[in-house]
Amino acid sequence: MDNTSNDSQSENREEPLWLPSGESPAISSVMFTAGVLGNLIALALLVRRWRGDSGRSEGRGNSISLFHVLVTELVLTDLLGTCLISPVVLASYAQNRTLVALGPERRVCTYFAFSMTFFSLATMLMLFAMALERYLAIGHPYFYQRRVTRRSGLAVLPTIYIVSLLFCSLPLLDHWKYAQYNPGTWCFIGHKQTTYLRLYATLLLLLIIAVLACNFSVIVNLIHMHRRGRRSRCGPSLGSSHRRAERVSMAEETDHLILLAIMTITFAVCSLPFTIFAYMNENSSRKEKWDLQALRFLSINSIIDPWVFAILRPPVLRLMRSVLCCRVSLRTQEATQTSCSTQSNASKQIDL
């Protein structure tokens, strides 16, 4: 007991209590402002979308899209994380004191580190839920229509919060597993706790791989849907309304895929420095300042996500869809015309 207390006291003495001279809160202030403003704009756009969908669904009996329910939960998670984490950093700059010195018994440092791990994991789990929803909707439509409902989407958020809470509470059993990083305004899992730190980074990496696999499966299924629609053009006419519904469905699924793919790429880029940091040596990571860069990249994701949704409005998505599908559509039109002409010639010969 005496040895452990002496080790903890010596470790506490090594951690600085005052911020280094010349540290500016400009970057943290910009990140906090951009995060709150972007999430509020995204929420306003989602509320507008919800009202529009509910108004159109009154006459048709359709419910609001489950995908947009999950997007709303993701934006709420990002907003909550920004409002609970960034003010602590600003308070540290305002008092010119590190997080360890802001509260007794390292409570502020523990709170900050737990919040960082919790919201980062919850965000990645939300992206995985969105990718899994698209995979089931496109790859297994019968199971999706029978089993997946909007109530299940509403239950995703508390389920993800419970899982993240249980996994991220493991270091709370020993609060010395959290460490303060330079310049003293960041706390995260200590680099000496190699097992849990690498376990956390590996979990994020596996979730990213799973999301990419779901997105790839959705792309393959959309290509098959497009080929089936191309063949149906040469077959018997199914009616203009049916073809219009197929085109609208393909457009909506492509828009969802573009939005989800950009969010996934953003999180993968933001979490890659943290994964490298988790597997680096402590001395080399601090020497090359990987710790500060990794934590900053990890916190930037909650700022970028709402701006991605706010910028990628339906007109922008239609433009991206037209650019991405322009060459493919030209080739498919030529192939469709040639195949249809050959089929018509063959049918004429049969009739003769």
Side-chain angles (χ1 to χ4, degrees), residues 114-169:
F114 173 78
S115 300
M116 281 286 295
T117 54
F118 175 83
F119 286 106
S120 298
L121 180 60
T123 300
M124 193 62 238
L125 288 174
M126 285 299 307
L127 288 175
F128 174 70
M130 293 167 60
L132 184 61
E133 188 268 342
R134 288 293 88 200
Y135 167 75
L136 294 176
I138 304 299
H140 305 277
Y142 297 106
F143 174 83
Y144 181 83
Q145 293 179 359
R146 294 183 60 183
R147 300 291 183 180
V148 182
T149 60
R150 193 175 64 175
R151 289 186 177 180
S152 60
L154 296 175
V156 168
L157 186 63
T159 303
I160 288 178
Y161 278 15
I162 292 174
V163 173
S164 301
L165 181 65
L166 293 176
F167 185 82
C168 297
S169 297

Side-chain angles (χ1 to χ4, degrees), residues 34 43 63 99 105 115 127 150 155 161 202 223 246 249 257-258 262 298 305 339 346:
L43 280 179
S63 60
L99 296 184
E105 299 179 358
S115 300
L127 288 175
R150 193 175 64 175
Y161 278 15
T202 305
I223 293 175
E246 285 184 351
S249 176
L257 178 62
I258 293 174
I262 293 178
L298 198 62
D305 277 345
S339 61

Side-chain angles (χ1 to χ4, degrees), residues 176-177 181 189-202 274-275 277-282:
W176 287 104
K177 291 185 178 180
Y181 292 91
I189 306 169
H191 217 303
K192 295 181 179 179
Q193 307 299 327
T194 309
T195 303
Y196 183 80
L197 180 61
R198 293 183 178 178
L199 178 64
Y200 185 84
T202 305
F274 171 74
T275 306
F277 158 75
Y279 285 92
M280 286 179 66
N281 189 13
E282 181 181 4

